[in-house]
Amino acid sequence: MLDRENTIQELHNGFIKEYSGIMFKELAFVKKINLRGDPNDKKFLSTNEGALQSTLPTKPNTLTYNNNIKTIWLGPNEWLIADYDNNNINDLFLKLQDINNNEESSITDVTENRTIIRISGGKLFKLLSKFLVLDIDKALYNESSVAQTLFIKVSILIVRNHKDNELPEVDIYVNRSQANYIYKLLVDGTKNLDF
Amino acid sequence: MFLIKCPYCGEREQSEFSCGGEAHIVRPKNPPDLTDDEWADYLFMRKNIKGVQFERWNHSNGCRRWFNIARNTATDEILKIYNMGERPPKIEGNDLKTPSGEPEIGSGNISTSFKKE
Ligand SMILES: [Zn+2]
C-alpha cells in the first residue's frame, strides 16, 4: 500500500526527490530528434555525422555523444538524438532537416513525445530489476549502453549515464502519459530495498 | 514464456515481442479477379500447425523491427530466425512422428518418457 500519493508532479520545476538513497529528477523538455536513414549510404552517414560531430552508432544498444548531445541507437536504420543542453538545438534541427531533405532519410522532432526520469543511487540496479524483464546488469554492463524494453507493461528506453567508477545513474525515457505510473511504482519500490 | 533472439538486440523475453501470424502469405496480384472465397482464403485462412510453423514476429517493445521465425508450436523450440523477404528455410531433424512425440494413435501424455534422438 502506498502510504501517501507520490505523483511525478513533485518533480516539477527540476525539483529533486530522494527515497532510500535513490535520487529522482525529471528532465522534462530535453529536445529529441528522430532520425531515419540507411547507414550503408555514405553520404547520409557523413553529412549527419558532420552535423552532429559524432558517429552514428551502428552497434545495437549503444550510444555516442558529443558534449551533451547524445545519439542513441533505436534500430538498424533509426536513431534518437537528445540534446540535454537545449541551447542551439533549433540550429541543429534545421541543419539536420536540410541534410535529410530527400526521399531516403527523414527527421522528426519528437521532443514532446517522451519525458526523461533521471534516477541515481547505489542500489539503482536492484530497484530497476524489480520491474524489468530485462537482465539489467548484463544489458547496461558497458558504458554508453542503452536498452529498449518493458517496464511492467510500459515501453521504455533506458540510457546508462555513469562511468564504471561512478555512482549508477540512468535516464528512463517514457511516454509522458505513462511517466506518472512508473514514477509511482519506482518510489514504492524504494521502500524495501534493504532486503 | 520463452526467450527470442532478436536479430538486432539479442536475446530478450517473449513479452517484448508480438507475433504477426503466419509468414510467407503472398498478396494476390489482381484482387478484383478473385472470387469471394478465394479472397476470404487469402485474408483470413491461416494454417495452425502442430509442429514447425513459419511466423512473422515484431520486437514491438524494443527495436520495433520485423523478422521471421521457424518455431515448433508443440515445444516452442525456435529452430531458425531469418530476415523478412527471405525464403523459408529447410528444417530438418525435427520431424517427430507427431509433433510432441506422443503416440500416433490414442491419447495420453507420454511425452515425459519420449527420448529425443
Ligand atoms: Zn530488437
Side-chain angles (χ1 to χ4, degrees), chain B residues 26-47:
Chain B
V26 182
R27 185 183 167 89
K29 282 229 161 59
N30 208 351
D33 292 349
L34 299 185
T35 64
D36 284 354
D37 278 355
E38 284 168 329
W39 183 246
D41 194 50
Y42 156 71
L43 216 51
F44 302 115
M45 302 313 278
R46 297 290 181 265
K47 289 182 196 139

Side-chain angles (χ1 to χ4, degrees), chain B residues 89-106:
Chain B
K90 287 232 166 16
I91 304 289
E92 276 163 22
N94 214 268
D95 42 354
L96 307 174
K97 272 189 177 169
T98 53
S100 49
E102 75 274 42
E104 284 174 281
I105 299 166

Side-chain angles (χ1 to χ4, degrees), chain A residues 22-37:
Chain A
I22 306 276
M23 314 291 278
F24 293 89
K25 184 175 197 242
E26 187 188 10
L27 306 169
F29 292 106
V30 170
K31 199 86 176 177
K32 302 174 205 76
I33 301 167
N34 184 290
L35 172 66
R36 297 194 75 158

Side-chain angles (χ1 to χ4, degrees), chain B residues 6 9 59 63:
Chain B
C6 170
C9 309
H59 192 189
C63 61

